[in-house]
mmCIF file of all heavy atoms in Angstrom:
data_model
loop_
_atom_site.group_PDB
_atom_site.id
_atom_site.type_symbol
_atom_site.label_atom_id
_atom_site.label_comp_id
_atom_site.label_asym_id
_atom_site.label_seq_id
_atom_site.Cartn_x
_atom_site.Cartn_y
_atom_site.Cartn_z
ATOM 1 N N ILE A 454 43.741 181.759 152.184
ATOM 2 C CA ILE A 454 45.075 182.166 151.648
ATOM 3 C C ILE A 454 45.222 183.545 151.863
ATOM 4 O O ILE A 454 46.403 183.990 152.305
ATOM 5 C CB ILE A 454 45.071 181.940 150.086
ATOM 6 C CG1 ILE A 454 45.133 180.406 149.741
ATOM 7 C CG2 ILE A 454 46.263 182.574 149.305
ATOM 8 C CD1 ILE A 454 44.977 179.978 148.364
ATOM 9 N N GLY A 455 44.152 184.397 151.598
ATOM 10 C CA GLY A 455 44.445 185.818 151.885
ATOM 11 C C GLY A 455 44.743 186.204 153.318
ATOM 12 O O GLY A 455 45.375 187.200 153.553
ATOM 13 N N SER A 456 44.343 185.452 154.288
ATOM 14 C CA SER A 456 44.599 185.706 155.680
ATOM 15 C C SER A 456 45.919 185.195 156.124
ATOM 16 O O SER A 456 46.442 185.555 157.282
ATOM 17 C CB SER A 456 43.464 185.109 156.584
ATOM 18 O OG SER A 456 43.602 183.661 156.451
ATOM 19 N N ASN A 457 46.706 184.485 155.390
ATOM 20 C CA ASN A 457 48.056 183.994 155.585
ATOM 21 C C ASN A 457 49.065 185.037 155.199
ATOM 22 O O ASN A 457 49.292 185.231 154.021
ATOM 23 C CB ASN A 457 48.370 182.627 154.985
ATOM 24 C CG ASN A 457 49.544 181.981 155.417
ATOM 25 O OD1 ASN A 457 50.443 182.602 155.854
ATOM 26 N ND2 ASN A 457 49.612 180.705 155.116
ATOM 27 N N HIS A 458 49.633 185.801 156.147
ATOM 28 C CA HIS A 458 50.442 186.960 155.845
ATOM 29 C C HIS A 458 51.751 186.431 155.134
ATOM 30 O O HIS A 458 52.213 187.076 154.289
ATOM 31 C CB HIS A 458 50.858 187.670 157.199
ATOM 32 C CG HIS A 458 51.784 188.767 156.961
ATOM 33 N ND1 HIS A 458 51.382 189.839 156.294
ATOM 34 C CD2 HIS A 458 53.134 188.959 157.227
ATOM 35 C CE1 HIS A 458 52.497 190.836 156.186
ATOM 36 N NE2 HIS A 458 53.514 190.076 156.803
ATOM 37 N N ASP A 459 52.304 185.419 155.571
ATOM 38 C CA ASP A 459 53.577 184.799 155.021
ATOM 39 C C ASP A 459 53.349 184.491 153.513
ATOM 40 O O ASP A 459 54.220 184.753 152.654
ATOM 41 C CB ASP A 459 54.137 183.552 155.683
ATOM 42 C CG ASP A 459 54.525 183.866 157.153
ATOM 43 O OD1 ASP A 459 54.922 185.073 157.375
ATOM 44 O OD2 ASP A 459 54.490 182.996 157.975
ATOM 45 N N LEU A 460 52.255 183.816 153.208
ATOM 46 C CA LEU A 460 51.848 183.538 151.835
ATOM 47 C C LEU A 460 51.708 184.609 150.945
ATOM 48 O O LEU A 460 52.183 184.802 149.815
ATOM 49 C CB LEU A 460 50.706 182.562 151.828
ATOM 50 C CG LEU A 460 50.471 181.974 150.355
ATOM 51 C CD1 LEU A 460 51.503 181.037 149.832
ATOM 52 C CD2 LEU A 460 49.131 181.085 150.463
ATOM 53 N N VAL A 461 50.953 185.608 151.402
ATOM 54 C CA VAL A 461 50.665 186.943 150.649
ATOM 55 C C VAL A 461 51.993 187.746 150.467
ATOM 56 O O VAL A 461 52.035 188.203 149.340
ATOM 57 C CB VAL A 461 49.566 187.727 151.413
ATOM 58 C CG1 VAL A 461 49.356 189.074 150.748
ATOM 59 C CG2 VAL A 461 48.205 186.898 151.445
ATOM 60 N N SER A 462 52.848 187.746 151.413
ATOM 61 C CA SER A 462 54.050 188.492 151.319
ATOM 62 C C SER A 462 54.996 187.890 150.218
ATOM 63 O O SER A 462 55.773 188.511 149.659
ATOM 64 C CB SER A 462 54.746 188.657 152.441
ATOM 65 O OG SER A 462 55.174 187.372 153.041
ATOM 66 N N SER A 463 54.902 186.591 149.933
ATOM 67 C CA SER A 463 55.797 185.928 148.980
ATOM 68 C C SER A 463 54.953 185.425 147.840
ATOM 69 O O SER A 463 55.253 184.367 147.232
ATOM 70 C CB SER A 463 56.360 184.665 149.699
ATOM 71 O OG SER A 463 55.507 183.832 150.216
ATOM 72 N N ILE A 464 53.832 185.998 147.483
ATOM 73 C CA ILE A 464 53.009 185.671 146.368
ATOM 74 C C ILE A 464 53.728 185.723 145.117
ATOM 75 O O ILE A 464 53.493 184.882 144.173
ATOM 76 C CB ILE A 464 51.687 186.424 146.384
ATOM 77 C CG1 ILE A 464 50.607 185.721 145.353
ATOM 78 C CG2 ILE A 464 51.841 187.905 145.792
ATOM 79 C CD1 ILE A 464 50.005 184.436 146.000
ATOM 80 N N GLY A 465 54.652 186.746 144.850
ATOM 81 C CA GLY A 465 55.366 186.903 143.635
ATOM 82 C C GLY A 465 56.225 185.707 143.336
ATOM 83 O O GLY A 465 56.299 185.119 142.210
ATOM 84 N N TYR A 466 56.940 185.131 144.433
ATOM 85 C CA TYR A 466 57.754 184.056 144.302
ATOM 86 C C TYR A 466 56.970 182.734 143.882
ATOM 87 O O TYR A 466 57.284 182.055 142.897
ATOM 88 C CB TYR A 466 58.584 183.717 145.521
ATOM 89 C CG TYR A 466 59.442 182.592 145.444
ATOM 90 C CD1 TYR A 466 60.501 182.417 144.577
ATOM 91 C CD2 TYR A 466 59.052 181.540 146.220
ATOM 92 C CE1 TYR A 466 61.259 181.268 144.480
ATOM 93 C CE2 TYR A 466 59.863 180.275 146.095
ATOM 94 C CZ TYR A 466 61.003 180.150 145.315
ATOM 95 O OH TYR A 466 61.751 179.121 145.266
ATOM 96 N N PHE A 467 55.846 182.522 144.609
ATOM 97 C CA PHE A 467 55.004 181.329 144.482
ATOM 98 C C PHE A 467 54.170 181.429 143.200
ATOM 99 O O PHE A 467 53.929 180.488 142.619
ATOM 100 C CB PHE A 467 54.191 181.131 145.621
ATOM 101 C CG PHE A 467 54.866 180.669 146.823
ATOM 102 C CD1 PHE A 467 54.808 181.291 148.014
ATOM 103 C CD2 PHE A 467 55.636 179.489 146.779
ATOM 104 C CE1 PHE A 467 55.446 180.862 149.255
ATOM 105 C CE2 PHE A 467 56.308 179.003 147.924
ATOM 106 C CZ PHE A 467 56.227 179.767 149.094
ATOM 107 N N GLY A 468 53.835 182.671 142.850
ATOM 108 C CA GLY A 468 53.048 182.879 141.754
ATOM 109 C C GLY A 468 53.774 182.489 140.425
ATOM 110 O O GLY A 468 53.181 181.826 139.522
ATOM 111 N N TRP A 469 55.139 182.834 140.314
ATOM 112 C CA TRP A 469 55.804 182.504 139.013
ATOM 113 C C TRP A 469 56.044 181.024 139.087
ATOM 114 O O TRP A 469 55.945 180.401 137.927
ATOM 115 C CB TRP A 469 57.128 183.144 139.031
ATOM 116 C CG TRP A 469 57.009 184.669 138.592
ATOM 117 C CD1 TRP A 469 57.181 185.681 139.343
ATOM 118 C CD2 TRP A 469 56.662 185.097 137.301
ATOM 119 N NE1 TRP A 469 56.888 186.809 138.687
ATOM 120 C CE2 TRP A 469 56.539 186.460 137.343
ATOM 121 C CE3 TRP A 469 56.323 184.472 136.155
ATOM 122 C CZ2 TRP A 469 56.155 187.207 136.153
ATOM 123 C CZ3 TRP A 469 56.005 185.186 135.004
ATOM 124 C CH2 TRP A 469 55.959 186.617 135.100
ATOM 125 N N GLN A 470 56.231 180.303 140.146
ATOM 126 C CA GLN A 470 56.355 178.967 140.082
ATOM 127 C C GLN A 470 55.057 178.277 139.695
ATOM 128 O O GLN A 470 55.048 177.313 138.872
ATOM 129 C CB GLN A 470 56.646 178.419 141.433
ATOM 130 C CG GLN A 470 58.180 178.625 141.959
ATOM 131 C CD GLN A 470 58.389 178.070 143.296
ATOM 132 O OE1 GLN A 470 57.567 177.691 144.097
ATOM 133 N NE2 GLN A 470 59.744 177.952 143.634
#
Side-chain angles (χ1 to χ4, degrees):
I454 289 174
S456 65
N457 187 341
H458 179 67
D459 294 332
L460 185 60
V461 172
S462 65
S463 59
I464 195 75
Y466 176 73
F467 290 123
W469 282 109
Q470 286 182 345

